Amino acid sequence: MKLHLVVMAAVATALLAPISAGAQTPKKGGELKFAVSAEPPDYDCHKNTSFAFIHPVRPHYSTLLKFDEAKYPAIIGDLAQSWQVSPDNLTFTFKLKPNVKFHDGSTLTSADVKASYERIVNPPQGVISIRKASYADIGAIETPDPLTVVFKLKKPNAGMLAQFASPWDCIYSAAKLKQDPKFPEKNILGTGPFKFVSHTAGSHWIGERFADYFEPGKPYLDSFRAVFVGGAAMVNALQAGEVLVEFRGQSPANRDKLVAALGDKVSVVETPWICNLVVGFNTEKKPFDDPRVRRALSLAIDRWQGSQALSKIALVRDVGGVLRPGYSLAAKESELVNYPGFSKDIKKSREEAKKLLQEAGVPNLKFKFINRNVPMPYTPVGVFLIDQWRQIGVTVEHEQLETKLYQAALSSGNYEAGLDFNCDYMDDPNILLIKYVSADKSSVNYGRYNDRKLDDLYEKQMRATDLTERARLVREFEKHALEQAYTIPTIWWHRIIVYWKQMKGWHLTPSHYVGQDLAEVWLDR
């Protein structure tokens, strides 16, 4: 089969402000200390979704491709030395870099890539693959030689190449997976720039430089230490220089406090964020099986006023639908205002909401709303929502849970309504719309509903090669999703990073999951 080389355009976005090392030569040595405001529930890339996982764990692993952080959304090879895509977009052939070692000294081959992706596509019993639906088009994985892996798709998929750059697709040892498919849950063994040293629960995580890392001369750091600290204690640690950065994001108030205290010792970079807090309703619990109730609760939210007020105190800013505001396929404001819950006439919306609750037989609705105990932005957005619902006569009990309990409640269905998040590593609808696809197809649909119209529109937009047609299908998907209100967007995030200037070689992107292997980071001391 004749193949042609796919060349990804290096698209730099003006919205991003790179933290560039400039003409400086990277210096070796030192330990980067950074803050993480929550801890990973386990060590398995394929089942996790949170920054609490990716920030301490990603430096230990490699992926097939990765995003070029300085030129997001351009992609570059990580384990892949080169790649080709067939003209019919059904065959993806990757040539691997030679002499890549796992941290135990064993050599990585195409068999490891195959075993890792087969675990994602067809997880063995007991293994959770959160992103299984995103890779459903992969029909076969072939390994004609130790340095070649071939993915054969059942159908063309416009977003598939970029999906191979997912930071969640860690490549594991095939030998370890054969011994125990759940080996990654409790063990760290990758080919990334840093070896695992220790995880002290409630305190910190340490990784040290992997001397046999496949990129010559890298990483520059001797080690990294992720310090588990959040809230005011995290800001104080950053101000005191005990940590140099927190990679997720700061609130405007914390940004201003740090800049006032540290002046030109720190830099600030900002960008719209591929992250949105969404309200999820458990449709297996009454009255949330009734679309009138769900829609009423969406209609009660004044997103436009909320964005102005919350952006002063929380790391949220822009009103948007199911895709990040400003992204080429996202709804424009003129389209948004026609969706339920996005009108700027909040008085009229709330009157309609009260009428819907009356019709549904729950005019004095009461329910428990679960939330995550990560303060920013979960707490202020949760409090805001409860106040919005109070204004249509709804009484809500707010329960904030530690990350592991919170995720367990959402995934098990042990909740009535909750504040969920829809954050990922790129803007593509294939990735961000998975949250809304039927529960029997999407493991991140915590609403536990099945809606074949959404599934059909998701499938059609995935196959659409014409951008105009794809945009039309995405709008139709969005309209139906917001009318049914199984899962409703609140306000999109705005990423603010404050960092000490001696940290070099790291670049801000719209996703806090991208650019976290720390291979290029160094300390100017």
Side-chain angles (χ1 to χ4, degrees):
M1 179 181 290
K2 184 180 179 182
L3 302 173
H4 72 278
L5 183 65
V6 171
V7 179
M8 293 295 295
V11 182
T13 168
L15 293 173
L16 306 183
I19 304 171
S20 173
Q24 291 180 277
T25 300
K27 298 174 183 176
K28 285 195 171 185
E31 179 177 74
L32 175 69
K33 296 179 182 178
F34 58 92
V36 185
S37 60
E39 290 192 57
D42 59 65
Y43 301 167
D44 189 350
C45 299
H46 299 170
K47 68 180 290 190
N48 274 281
T49 59
S50 170
F51 73 97
F53 174 90
I54 207 93
H55 289 176
V57 178
R58 180 66 177 87
H60 302 299
Y61 285 102
S62 306
T63 50
L64 207 45
L65 304 175
K66 64 180 182 179
F67 288 95
D68 184 341
E69 299 99 18
K71 300 174 181 177
Y72 173 90
I75 57 174
I76 56 177
D78 193 5
L79 291 172
Q81 190 167 59
S82 63
W83 56 95
Q84 296 173 311
V85 182
S86 63
D88 59 7
N89 287 308
L90 289 175
T91 303
F92 292 67
T93 303
F94 295 90
K95 292 290 185 182
L96 303 178
K97 294 174 181 175
N99 302 316
V100 175
K101 300 291 185 183
F102 282 99
H103 297 158
D104 66 354
S106 59
T107 300
L108 176 136
T109 72
S110 54
D112 300 302
V113 178
K114 177 179 179 178
S116 299
Y117 272 97
E118 285 184 337
R119 187 174 186 268
I120 295 171
V121 177
N122 296 302
Q125 187 173 9
V127 171
I128 296 173
S129 173
I130 287 288
R131 299 163 191 84
K132 176 182 176 180
S134 298
Y135 297 89
D137 287 334
I138 295 177
I141 305 173
E142 298 174 357
T143 53
D145 64 61
L147 293 179
T148 303
V149 59
V150 181
F151 292 84
K152 293 196 170 178
L153 272 56
K154 292 176 280 189
K155 301 175 183 176
N157 184 323
M160 182 55 72
L161 185 64
Q163 287 181 217
F164 286 116
S166 167
W168 303 103
D169 294 358
C170 297
I171 302 302
Y172 296 139
S173 161
K176 295 297 184 184
L177 293 181
K178 186 176 181 181
Q179 292 173 11
D180 178 7
K182 300 179 77 173
F183 175 83
E185 283 191 14
K186 296 181 179 179
N187 302 277
I188 299 285
L189 178 62
T191 57
F194 293 90
K195 294 193 301 182
F196 175 73
V197 175
S198 64
H199 173 200
T200 303
S203 178
H204 62 272
W205 180 296
I206 298 175
E208 68 177 10
R209 184 176 185 273
F210 178 39
D212 291 329
Y213 182 53
F214 57 85
E215 291 288 343
K218 299 176 186 174
Y220 302 117
L221 298 168
D222 286 337
S223 61
F224 74 86
R225 179 183 295 253
V227 181
F228 299 121
V229 59
M234 180 271 289
V235 178
N236 291 338
L238 186 52
Q239 183 173 328
E242 294 169 0
V243 296
L244 296 187
V245 64
E246 191 275 339
F247 288 118
R248 180 166 169 264
Q250 300 290 342
S251 69
N254 288 342
R255 172 199 59 198
D256 296 343
K257 176 184 177 182
L258 289 165
V259 170
L262 298 173
D264 62 2
K265 294 178 181 176
V266 295
S267 291
V268 179
V269 286
E270 303 186 17
T271 181
W273 201 337
I274 310 171
C275 216
N276 187 14
L277 287 181
V278 297
V279 176
F281 300 110
N282 186 345
T283 60
E284 292 182 344
K285 305 267 190 182
K286 290 186 178 298
F288 302 109
D289 58 336
D290 189 329
R292 294 171 296 184
V293 175
R294 301 191 301 265
R295 185 187 288 203
L297 294 173
S298 183
L299 285 165
I301 303 169
D302 188 347
R303 294 169 171 83
W304 301 102
Q305 187 277 331
S307 69
Q308 293 182 31
L310 286 170
S311 64
K312 296 175 183 174
I313 60 170
L315 45 76
V316 297
R317 194 182 70 173
D318 299 315
V319 177
V322 298
L323 296 174
R324 182 172 64 117
Y327 170 57
S328 60
L329 291 176
K332 298 178 176 62
E333 183 174 322
S334 58
E335 296 168 313
L336 274 178
V337 295
N338 295 314
Y339 295 147
F342 289 82
S343 167
K344 293 192 175 181
D345 188 346
I346 190 61
K347 183 178 179 182
K348 182 178 178 181
S349 293
R350 287 179 177 155
E351 288 304 315
E352 183 181 351
K354 291 176 184 176
K355 183 180 178 183
L356 287 171
L357 291 180
Q358 186 76 36
E359 290 175 357
V362 287
N364 300 308
L365 177 64
K366 296 180 180 179
F367 64 91
K368 181 181 287 186
F369 184 64
I370 68 162
N371 197 354
R372 194 177 185 183
N373 71 344
V374 175
M376 191 55 65
Y378 291 83
T379 299
V381 173
V383 170
F384 164 73
L385 290 169
I386 290 168
D387 178 66
Q388 300 293 292
W389 292 327
R390 179 186 58 78
Q391 297 184 51
I392 59 168
V394 174
T395 303
V396 180
E397 178 185 347
H398 192 194
E399 182 180 22
Q400 290 193 267
L401 303 172
E402 177 270 332
T403 294
K404 190 172 183 177
L405 294 175
Y406 160 84
Q407 291 193 329
L410 289 178
S411 59
S412 69
N414 185 25
Y415 77 104
E416 295 180 287
L419 194 57
D420 187 10
F421 61 92
N422 195 22
C423 305
D424 228 307
Y425 60 93
M426 66 174 178
D427 288 293
D428 195 279
N430 290 3
I431 302 300
L432 290 181
L433 300 188
I434 280 286
K435 172 66 72 180
Y436 302 86
V437 170
S438 290
D440 61 1
K441 297 179 180 295
S442 169
S443 55
V444 292
N445 173 343
Y446 301 132
R448 310 176 80 82
Y449 59 84
N450 292 317
D451 187 317
R452 299 307 171 209
K453 182 173 182 178
L454 287 177
D455 298 344
D456 181 59
L457 288 167
Y458 179 80
E459 177 76 12
K460 286 178 177 175
Q461 68 80 28
M462 191 188 306
R463 312 298 170 204
T465 55
D466 179 80
L467 191 58
T468 302
E469 175 61 6
R470 195 181 190 199
R472 186 191 69 77
L473 291 165
V474 169
R475 285 291 74 70
E476 191 174 348
F477 180 103
E478 183 172 58
K479 181 174 183 292
H480 183 66
L482 297 179
E483 286 177 346
Q484 292 301 311
Y486 306 110
T487 299
I488 54 172
T490 60
I491 299 168
W492 284 77
W493 297 18
H494 183 72
R495 194 178 183 199
I496 302 171
I497 300 294
V498 181
Y499 68 99
W500 284 74
K501 287 185 175 177
Q502 59 259 48
M503 187 185 78
K504 306 287 187 182
W506 180 83
H507 298 262
L508 180 71
T509 73
S511 170
H512 56 313
Y513 302 134
V514 171
Q516 293 305 139
D517 68 8
L518 306 182
E520 305 275 348
V521 175
W522 58 280
L523 300 177
D524 187 15
R525 290 176 170 170

